Amino acid sequence: GPSPSSSSSTSSLRTCRDIRYPINLHNERRAMEILLEIASRALSKYPTSLARDRADLRDEVAYPKYSNVRNAKLQVRGEKEVLHHFALWARTAVHVIDVLLRELESERRLAAGDGHSSSLNRGGANARGANQNEELGYDYVIQAMEDDDDCHSTILRYCSDVLGAVRRDELNRIASSAMGSSA
């Protein structure tokens, strides 16, 4: 495929291998909503729940070791575990994106009001936003995910690395815009 240094007419042609960064937060949010819909729809087509499958597999009389019926149940359980993982990833990402969108909008308003943005764009620890009653900010959410032993590493890495990169870029854009308008 075209390299990143290709002419501007071909630089928009990307392959899946080239995609490491969301187009924008609204597009990424919609993609995660679609992923959640797909996973939920697929899960709804199974006649039993993941919990039921796990309970069934504890019954070695009805599902004897090495039997076809047990192996089939194991296969289906694995499929459901993957679908549940992607549904959790999507739900978590939508939540984090919503936190980011609120935080960025607050930064835009702040920058438009006085021409300066807060410490967020400089890696500051403003985790709560301007008002203590507001929902906790991105830094707090990511820290909570890091502290949660049950948070899967792929979900954490996506939210901290991929969405964090979008956040940094947007905060830099806001700060640059504020500096340009105050000059």
Side-chain angles (χ1 to χ4, degrees):
S3 70
S5 62
S6 296
S7 72
S8 63
S9 64
T10 60
S11 64
S12 65
L13 303 174
R14 296 172 22 179
T15 67
C16 288
R17 194 179 310 162
D18 298 328
I19 299 172
R20 305 231 190 304
Y21 190 85
I23 294 170
N24 62 53
L25 287 174
H26 294 286
N27 189 75
E28 193 69 5
R29 187 182 194 290
R30 185 63 189 131
M32 287 297 166
E33 289 172 343
I34 291 169
L35 176 59
L36 180 57
E37 290 169 16
I38 290 168
S40 298
R41 197 173 320 121
L43 284 165
S44 74
K45 293 182 181 194
Y46 287 101
T48 60
S49 68
L50 177 58
R52 176 78 259 156
D53 291 348
R54 288 177 174 154
D56 288 348
L57 286 166
R58 287 191 291 272
D59 180 356
E60 290 188 17
V61 174
Y63 297 91
K65 285 187 176 187
Y66 313 113
S67 67
N68 287 343
V69 69
R70 182 178 190 79
N71 288 336
K73 183 67 83 169
L74 286 167
Q75 175 66 34
V76 169
R77 181 193 67 185
E79 293 169 4
K80 291 176 187 175
E81 287 171 342
V82 169
L83 289 166
H84 278 281
H85 171 77
F86 279 104
L88 177 61
W89 186 337
R91 276 192 305 278
T92 304
V94 166
H95 171 71
V96 171
I97 290 168
D98 287 346
V99 168
L100 281 172
L101 289 170
R102 280 192 297 278
E103 191 176 87
L104 292 170
E105 184 54 37
S106 175
E107 285 296 306
R108 282 185 196 92
R109 283 194 305 271
L110 183 63
D114 64 9
H116 297 86
S117 60
S118 77
S119 61
L120 288 174
N121 67 339
R122 293 178 294 281
N126 185 2
R128 290 189 175 266
N131 181 338
Q132 291 290 333
N133 294 327
E134 288 184 73
E135 183 167 341
L136 300 173
Y138 172 80
D139 291 327
Y140 183 89
V141 170
I142 295 301
Q143 186 62 54
M145 290 171 69
E146 288 174 353
D147 294 343
D148 182 356
D149 292 337
D150 292 329
C151 182
H152 196 278
S153 62
T154 57
I155 297 171
L156 173 59
R157 290 288 58 96
Y158 168 80
C159 291
S160 65
D161 297 354
V162 175
L163 296 179
V166 175
R167 175 183 185 253
R168 280 188 302 277
D169 289 350
E170 286 298 315
L171 288 171
N172 286 336
R173 244 191 277 338
I174 292 166
S176 293
S177 175
M179 296 303 235
S181 64
S182 66

